[in-house]
Amino acid sequence: MSDLWPLGVFFEVLATLSGTAGKQLIRLSELWSTVFPRAAKVVFFIGMLANTVAGPILDMAAYSFAAQSLIAPFGGLDTIWNAALAPWLLKERLTKNRLFACCMIFVG
């Protein structure tokens, strides 16, 4: 493994954040669709780009700097970010079952 593996981990964390941001922007566009229809379309497009373009590019960058065995476990961070940020950004409720599931993902 190269000495640049921390860069690979950094890119993977960014990839999971990008995926979470994309998913939350898509959800936000649905919430805004009746109140701000034009803005909702723009937010949806940006969310799709973050989720389907930026995330995979950052994933590829991560795998080019670090081994798959090191990077793969970070894939679960997407769920953790989503559960942590959705209550603040989307005003959604984090239930006990979802919190338990996130803890199980975090523990492995």
Side-chain angles (χ1 to χ4, degrees), residues 12-72:
E12 184 60 24
V13 170
L14 281 181
T16 61
L17 281 170
S18 172
T20 299
K23 289 175 188 73
Q24 291 200 3
L25 286 171
I26 291 168
R27 174 69 176 135
L28 185 64
S29 75
E30 177 59 31
L31 295 174
W32 285 4
S33 64
T34 56
V35 182
F36 309 110
R38 281 189 162 183
K41 288 181 182 179
V42 172
V43 169
F44 179 81
F45 182 72
I46 293 169
M48 286 297 288
L49 280 176
N51 201 27
T52 61
V53 177
I57 289 173
L58 288 166
D59 261 336
M60 286 188 295
Y63 283 108
S64 67
F65 289 107
Q68 181 180 4
S69 60
L70 180 64
I71 296 296

Side-chain angles (χ1 to χ4, degrees), residues 45-103:
F45 182 72
I46 293 169
M48 286 297 288
L49 280 176
N51 201 27
T52 61
V53 177
I57 289 173
L58 288 166
D59 261 336
M60 286 188 295
Y63 283 108
S64 67
F65 289 107
Q68 181 180 4
S69 60
L70 180 64
I71 296 296
F74 287 95
L77 275 178
D78 193 14
T79 305
I80 305 296
W81 295 132
N82 214 356
L85 297 175
W88 288 321
L89 300 176
L90 301 174
K91 308 298 184 232
E92 293 183 351
R93 203 169 70 99
L94 180 61
T95 64
K96 289 180 183 179
N97 286 340
R98 290 179 183 166
L99 182 61
F100 177 73
C102 287
C103 289

